[in-house]
Amino acid sequence: MRRHGEVRVIFAMAAAAAAALLASAAVAGRDGRQTYIVHMSHSAMPDEFAEHEEWYAASLQAVSDAATVLYTYSTLLHGYSARLTRAEAAALESQPGVIVVNPEVRYELHTTRTPEFLGLDGTDALFPQSGTGTDVVVGVLDTGVWPERPSYDDTGFGPVPAGWKGKCEDGNDFNASACNKKLIGARFFLTGYEAAKGPVDTSKESRSPRDNDGHGTHTSTTAAGGAVQGADLLGYAAGTAKGMAPRARVATYKVCWVGGCFSSDILKAMEVAVTDGVDVLSLSLGGGTAEYYRDSIAVGAFSAMEKGIFVSCSAGNAGPGAATLSNGAPWITTVGAGTIDRDFPAYVTLGNGKNYTGVSLYSGKPLPTTPMPFIYAGNASNSSMGQLCMSGSLIPEKVAGKIVLCDRGTNARVQKGFVVKDAGGAGMVLANTAANGEELVADAHVLPGSGVGEQAGNAMRDYAMSDPKATATIVFAGTKVGVKPSPVVAAFSSRGPNTVTSSVLKPDIIAPGVNILAAWSGSVGPSGLPGDGRRVGFNIISGTSMSCPHVSGLAALLRAAHPEWSPAAIRSALMTTAYNEYPGGNGILDVATGRPATPLDVGAGHVDPAKAVDPGLVYDIAAADYVDFLCANNYEAAQIAALTRQHASEGCSANRTYAVTALNYPSFSVAFPAAGGTAKHTRTVTNVGQPGTYKVAASAAAAGTPVTVTVEPSTLSFSRAGEKQSYTVSFTAGGMPSGTNGFGRLVWSSDHHVVASPIAATWT
């Protein structure tokens, strides 16, 4: 699976490549074999077998003399994984009791001030029951853990929860005693990875739960790291760093290695995590889209949801294009990324007197205050792609002692600085191109460097190419807080619509994901590149990989405050209390366009945990409701069984009418034919607050033309907690060209609560 884009410098990958990864299996070995995940009907085991494992082995032997079982699965799904040829996999799928045979997918990882920005600096006041948060366990599937970081200090924690079944596993460079009452689990999974890629090279990474990448340590401490005073990255963002749920326990499951994250390992880790007893699962992973019964994360998340476990996933870093998000199953909370009100300015002044503001996390010897020669990399290379500052592309004689302007793209941002430095350059300005626009993501450069937006980059390029004596200076201004407007939607954040089930609006929500400070691995420098010899306790990185654990931690807080809430109720509370406007009433901006964002960019809006703890009403969804939704989407019995573990004959009833518009989701995705028409949606809300009466206000429009929104009834009254009320929404619109989108909002308001849902309409 993929760490959610180029945002995390090591894991650059285009959206098309990510989709290709998901559409095909992991690379087959020289023997033509690759890993497949075999879903079996648990109740179809013949009487001649005493154990399901015996039956699985026999089914495999019936089609292959050479294959052996890699993993067996017994809770999130029933079945096993094995290395097979395509012919063997096809033959196996026709065996009795086999529901579906899915090729393994390689996923990649989706790569402090946020508690204050989210209003969580007084957590105890906002979440009066958060003392019980020490019994909530956040499970993180990622690259492992660096347990020595103070974010995992267990001072003040009581005994490990009595029902906890997890453990810390020994491995090379990792002792089980590294865990404690805060970090209560650390496991690793690599059977699928090693079957596909060969043995782990222990000279490059630990065959253990230890995190040699940094990503897993960062995400787990973002979700639930304890408070650490005096945290910073090279002097930047100094202060107290803590996760969203600092009193929650942490369990890590290492499923990602140098060569990627493989779905057979991910499924086994999810199964073990559920059995261990986690309350929240956080996965900053992705790899394009697929039907849910073929998507391993969706399969594992369905069973986790059935057991009351909240699952949050990153939307991806393939934005700002439309229909780029992954992890869109309705039982998963899908998280996009926004900025916070903190920045790290680095000012570039040109010899022509023009000044530009960029960003940087460089910490080292500054450049001279006097102007230095300034050159465009495209004019200092014999390569056709020299402007990108690719390895070996710069001519040392032309860049020595100069500030070099490099275009962003293709290779990692910080790697360009290594290239300039190796060629003798004194500094670097990294210019966005049209693909990134004005989005600025700070990097811990290895030489004096500043990243600037597309407009500034174009002006600097024109200057450098037109003036043979061009000069520049770079001045680093440290950390700036109170930046406005904030948040804005990150350009890299993947966008809707949901390409698998367009009737479910995704992403669900956005959370902080740009320039996030959290703990880091001791094995790698802040750039994550092999040549970076710096070692830091905390790092600042960006991506939906960072926004996802924010929501995971907030879910842990809500679970502690409301242990009776289902995963759907927790998501509903986060969504219906989110905000989509700044205090002055203007819509949250999208940095990619400079215009207000739409629900396809932000879903319900930006999380507001202070309100989520008391949402008034929630939209609850049971597992059976999701099955009805799959029936409405014409899933076949075997496809549903791959998700639900039911017998393949227990499909949809021919005597019922199913409607995608009946799924009790806290948002509305409305489809009209090009000629227009009326669409009806039904919803049921549950009162989780005090008695009261709610009145509705709803509106939507497309291309300046109103969509008529009628809600019946228009008033809902509740006399007690737990009471349910249903309503119907009719959306009526005239004809529009196919592909037109319209947006709006439906809001229920009482004297004490505002319960809001986004509306996205599409003419097909």
Side-chain angles (χ1 to χ4, degrees):
M1 293 203 146
R2 190 182 52 189
R3 273 192 279 204
H4 282 146
E6 189 221 35
V7 171
R8 182 69 221 290
V9 292
I10 325 176
F11 288 85
M13 181 175 293
L21 279 176
L22 191 61
S24 64
V27 178
R30 293 182 179 179
D31 58 358
R33 295 181 180 275
Q34 61 191 59
T35 300
Y36 288 83
I37 297 169
V38 185
H39 294 249
M40 305 287 285
S41 175
H42 192 258
S43 60
M45 183 181 73
D47 293 338
E48 63 196 81
F49 297 102
E51 301 289 342
H52 282 84
E53 288 77 5
E54 295 177 16
W55 178 39
Y56 298 161
S59 71
L60 182 59
Q61 291 169 5
V63 300
S64 175
D65 294 329
T68 59
V69 172
L70 299 176
Y71 286 120
T72 60
Y73 307 97
S74 58
T75 57
L76 297 196
L77 63 104
H78 298 301
Y80 61 94
S81 56
R83 300 282 288 178
L84 302 167
T85 64
R86 289 187 179 181
E88 291 169 348
L92 184 60
E93 198 156 30
S94 65
Q95 291 285 312
V98 176
I99 297 173
V100 67
V101 179
N102 284 332
E104 178 167 66
V105 172
R106 189 185 77 179
Y107 295 81
E108 302 285 346
L109 291 157
H110 284 163
T111 245
T112 234
R113 180 171 171 77
T114 49
E116 290 85 353
F117 181 68
L118 293 173
L120 287 175
D121 44 336
T123 304
D124 292 342
L126 293 172
F127 295 84
Q129 302 301 315
S130 63
T132 63
T134 58
D135 292 332
V136 176
V137 183
V138 179
V140 182
L141 273 67
D142 214 294
T143 62
V145 63
W146 194 269
E148 293 81 10
R149 292 301 180 222
S151 300
Y152 303 110
D153 182 25
D154 66 353
T155 300
F157 279 80
V160 172
W164 178 247
K165 299 176 182 177
K167 66 176 184 178
C168 287
E169 298 175 344
D170 287 310
N172 75 292
D173 198 25
F174 193 95
N175 194 306
S177 62
C179 291
N180 55 27
K181 291 179 288 186
K182 169 71 173 178
L183 178 64
I184 62 173
R187 298 181 183 267
F188 64 106
F189 300 82
L190 44 56
T191 301
Y193 176 79
E194 290 192 326
K197 306 288 286 186
V200 164
D201 183 351
T202 55
S203 69
K204 295 180 180 178
E205 58 183 335
S206 300
R207 201 175 189 276
S208 76
R210 184 166 293 281
D211 179 12
N212 304 113
D213 177 271
H215 193 273
T217 301
H218 198 281
T219 55
S220 64
T221 56
T222 297
V228 180
Q229 295 181 348
D232 68 87
L233 168 64
L234 305 173
Y236 289 94
T240 298
K242 66 176 179 178
M244 297 296 97
R247 298 298 296 166
R249 319 276 182 152
V250 176
T252 64
Y253 300 84
K254 183 176 179 180
V255 296
C256 296
W257 306 82
V258 166
C261 328
F262 286 73
S263 56
S264 60
D265 294 326
I266 291 166
L267 268 173
K268 189 62 179 179
M270 293 180 78
E271 180 172 275
V272 171
V274 169
T275 302
D276 284 348
V278 303
D279 299 287
V280 174
L281 274 174
S282 185
L283 294 89
S284 293
L285 313 167
T289 57
E291 289 292 339
Y292 301 138
Y293 70 93
R294 293 198 181 278
D295 182 338
S296 292
I297 287 182
V299 169
F302 190 95
S303 294
M305 170 274 302
E306 285 185 300
K307 297 180 184 299
I309 298 167
F310 180 92
V311 182
S312 57
C313 295
S314 44
N317 292 348
T324 50
L325 63 79
S326 56
N327 298 319
W331 47 89
I332 292 172
T333 298
T334 311
V335 188
T339 64
I340 63 174
D341 63 341
R342 181 178 63 197
D343 213 343
F344 309 100
Y347 303 112
V348 181
T349 300
L350 303 182
N352 61 6
K354 299 294 181 64
N355 298 294
Y356 301 95
T357 300
V359 293
S360 182
L361 295 169
Y362 171 73
S363 179
K365 184 179 179 181
L367 291 171
T369 56
T370 55
M372 301 187 67
F374 183 55
I375 189 170
Y376 178 50
N379 291 342
S381 174
N382 292 322
S383 168
S384 60
M385 299 181 70
Q387 75 277 9
L388 296 172
C389 295
M390 305 285 284
S391 181
S393 65
L394 299 180
I395 300 172
E397 293 78 10
K398 291 191 175 183
V399 303
K402 298 178 182 179
I403 297 174
V404 181
L405 177 65
C406 302
D407 287 348
R408 182 173 169 179
T410 307
N411 59 333
R413 299 187 303 271
V414 179
Q415 189 177 39
K416 297 174 188 291
F418 276 93
V419 173
V420 172
K421 185 177 181 180
D422 289 344
M428 176 185 70
V429 175
L430 180 61
N432 282 1
T433 59
N436 305 104
E438 299 308 308
E439 176 180 67
L440 299 180
V441 178
D443 293 302
H445 293 292
V446 295
L447 83 171
S450 176
V452 300
E454 180 191 9
Q455 294 181 26
N458 291 342
M460 292 182 185
R461 192 180 302 108
D462 291 343
Y463 168 65
M465 294 182 70
S466 63
D467 188 341
K469 296 183 179 181
T471 61
T473 60
I474 305 174
V475 176
F476 303 95
T479 304
K480 181 181 179 181
V481 297
V483 174
K484 295 184 182 300
S486 60
V488 298
V489 184
F492 62 75
S493 187
S494 292
R495 316 301 171 98
N498 186 344
T499 58
V500 181
T501 49
S502 60
S503 55
V504 176
L505 177 60
K506 292 283 182 170
D508 292 312
I509 206 159
I510 65 168
V514 178
N515 297 334
I516 304 303
L517 177 76
W520 193 244
S521 169
S523 290
V524 65
S527 71
L529 296 175
D532 189 350
R534 298 170 295 177
R535 294 294 179 265
V536 295
F538 292 83
N539 199 8
I540 294 171
I541 56 177
S542 301
T544 54
S545 276
M546 284 63 256
S547 55
C548 168
H550 278 87
V551 169
S552 305
L554 296 178
L557 289 177
L558 292 176
R559 172 55 54 85
H562 301 285
E564 74 283 4
W565 282 6
S566 69
I570 292 174
R571 175 180 58 207
S572 175
L574 290 167
M575 290 177 64
T576 62
T577 59
Y579 61 91
N580 67 345
E581 295 178 341
Y582 301 119
N586 294 323
I588 290 176
L589 293 177
D590 180 356
V591 73
T593 63
R595 297 190 295 270
T598 76
L600 294 177
D601 307 318
V602 301
H606 193 282
V607 289
D608 190 347
K611 293 181 179 177
V613 72
D614 181 21
L617 306 175
V618 296
Y619 294 81
D620 210 353
I621 308 176
D625 300 322
Y626 291 118
V627 175
D628 290 349
F629 172 77
L630 295 173
C631 291
N633 278 282
N634 299 315
Y635 267 48
E636 298 174 0
Q639 296 168 346
I640 293 175
L643 287 159
T644 65
R645 306 169 315 288
Q646 298 171 352
H647 192 280
S649 63
E650 301 175 15
C652 308
S653 171
N655 299 321
R656 286 188 57 190
T657 300
Y658 300 95
V660 295
T661 56
L663 183 66
N664 202 37
Y665 218 74
S667 59
F668 296 90
S669 181
V670 185
F672 293 116
T678 297
K680 290 189 176 183
H681 291 238
T682 58
R683 294 292 190 271
T684 300
V685 288
T686 303
N687 182 35
V688 294
Q690 59 205 92
T693 297
Y694 288 80
K695 296 182 179 180
V696 74
S699 63
T705 301
V707 174
T708 301
V709 184
T710 305
V711 183
E712 292 290 343
S714 59
T715 301
L716 299 175
S717 295
F718 298 89
S719 59
R720 57 181 173 81
E723 185 178 355
K724 297 178 183 292
Q725 298 275 2
S726 298
Y727 66 92
T728 300
V729 190
S730 298
F731 301 92
T732 303
M736 287 281 184
S738 179
T740 300
N741 292 318
F743 305 104
R745 203 161 175 86
L746 184 151
V747 181
W748 291 99
S749 301
S750 72
D751 291 340
H752 303 285
H753 299 97
V754 174
V755 184
S757 296
I759 300 168
T762 302
W763 280 255
T764 57

